[in-house]
Amino acid sequence: MIIVKSEGEIATMRRAGMVVASILKTLSKEIKAGMTTHELNDIAVTELARYGATSSFKGYGGFPATLCVSINDEIVHGIPGNRVIREGDIASLDFGAIVDGFHGDAALTVGVGNISPQAKQLLEVTKGALEAGIAVARPGAHLSDISAAVQHYAESRGFSVVREYTGHGIGRKMHEDPPIPNFGSPGHGPVLRKGMTLAIEPMINIGGWKTKVKNNHWTVVTADGSLSAHFEKTIAIADGEAEVLTAWDE
Ligand code: MG
């Protein structure tokens, strides 16, 4: 069942979203070659405490960190550790925060220093696929209109869409109904209504769409070793265009 939020609940989610967006913006400025992924997680922990918010991720299903850092062929759920970030890497940063009982969830992929033209294009297309999905998230649309828009945007530009992981409803729980696949034909699934809050999160690969999970049982990588990018925003279905609750100026 999709939980429709009241104006007051959305106001709280707006605050959670602002914390998430602001910390992700800080992280995307702070990330540098030579840092470890653990150091990046430390910044997230410090910033979160400064806002008086708590982590959506830490302890979720046993996840050991506050931030997911997924580098190059890693798609999602990368665990911060001793890995040193290098010039030319692309790093997907996924972050969630709880404010007054409500979650915000967002992700972005950043290039570290100079990245290849193909990597640059992957980042642009993944961000564009997210925007294409958000653009059709309006009252009266079907859920799978979002999925179809994301898939069409990415595949028509020569990239593939991860299928085994999806976006999700979000609110008092990080993962609420409905799951939001990033592929599918339009016109299916629940009809969107004002007050629904969704985390849309395309994961796009340069190579094939298939994935595997590393031996740490968390980190998801592309099966063929190709680069992958991940952009995510939490939105609220509004009267017309959706409201992005995790927006930052770029
Ligand atoms: Mg999410």
Side-chain angles (χ1 to χ4, degrees):
M1 192 193 67
I2 305 179
I3 301 166
V4 173
K5 277 74 176 181
S6 68
E7 288 289 345
E9 289 172 325
I10 288 176
T12 306
M13 289 188 70
R14 202 172 279 133
R15 290 191 287 123
M18 279 173 64
V19 169
V20 170
S22 136
I23 294 175
L24 272 177
K25 190 180 173 183
T26 300
L27 292 169
S28 66
K29 282 187 178 159
E30 292 292 323
I31 188 169
K32 281 175 189 72
M35 277 175 99
T36 64
T37 53
H38 182 74
E39 287 175 289
L40 214 51
N41 183 73
D42 281 346
I43 297 173
V45 170
T46 304
E47 287 291 303
L48 200 54
R50 208 165 61 80
Y51 282 100
T54 51
S55 172
S56 300
F57 295 178
K58 181 133 198 217
Y60 185 88
F63 190 77
T66 295
L67 181 70
C68 294
V69 187
S70 307
I71 311 261
N72 296 336
D73 63 321
E74 296 175 349
I75 301 168
V76 285
H77 307 162
I79 301 175
N82 294 330
R83 181 169 184 167
V84 177
I85 298 161
R86 296 184 314 176
E87 168 89 17
D89 281 348
I90 60 169
S92 298
L93 311 176
D94 191 352
F95 180 70
I98 309 167
V99 172
D100 291 339
F102 283 88
H103 291 260
D105 189 7
L108 52 79
T109 303
V110 290
V112 181
N114 281 320
I115 60 172
S116 70
Q118 203 185 22
K120 210 172 277 178
Q121 197 198 353
L122 174 69
L123 267 50
E124 278 162 19
V125 168
T126 308
K127 194 194 280 186
L130 171 59
E131 298 307 329
I134 292 173
V136 298
R138 291 161 180 259
H142 286 267
L143 183 73
S144 82
D145 296 351
I146 299 172
S147 314
V150 168
Q151 181 180 21
H152 175 75
Y153 191 95
E155 289 186 352
S156 65
R157 286 161 178 81
F159 294 111
S160 73
V161 172
V162 170
R163 297 174 182 226
E164 290 128 323
Y165 300 86
T166 68
H168 49 93
I170 179 168
R172 285 192 186 275
K173 287 186 184 166
M174 177 166 63
H175 293 141
E176 292 184 350
D177 276 342
I180 310 171
N182 292 302
F183 68 100
S185 51
H188 298 282
V191 173
L192 302 180
R193 282 176 51 195
K194 185 179 178 179
M196 289 177 174
T197 44
L198 309 172
I200 304 176
E201 49 177 320
M203 291 147 263
I204 307 296
N205 302 343
I206 284 181
W209 59 263
K210 290 192 175 155
T211 70
K212 57 186 185 187
V213 179
K214 279 186 165 179
N215 288 337
N216 65 17
H217 303 295
W218 274 108
T219 312
V220 182
V221 295
T222 55
D224 60 11
S226 70
L227 292 181
S228 184
H230 179 209
F231 280 82
E232 174 180 21
K233 285 178 177 172
T234 296
I235 65 164
I237 303 300
D239 283 320
E241 215 169 282
E243 178 185 354
V244 177
L245 301 176
T246 53
W248 57 86
D249 44 304
E250 293 176 56

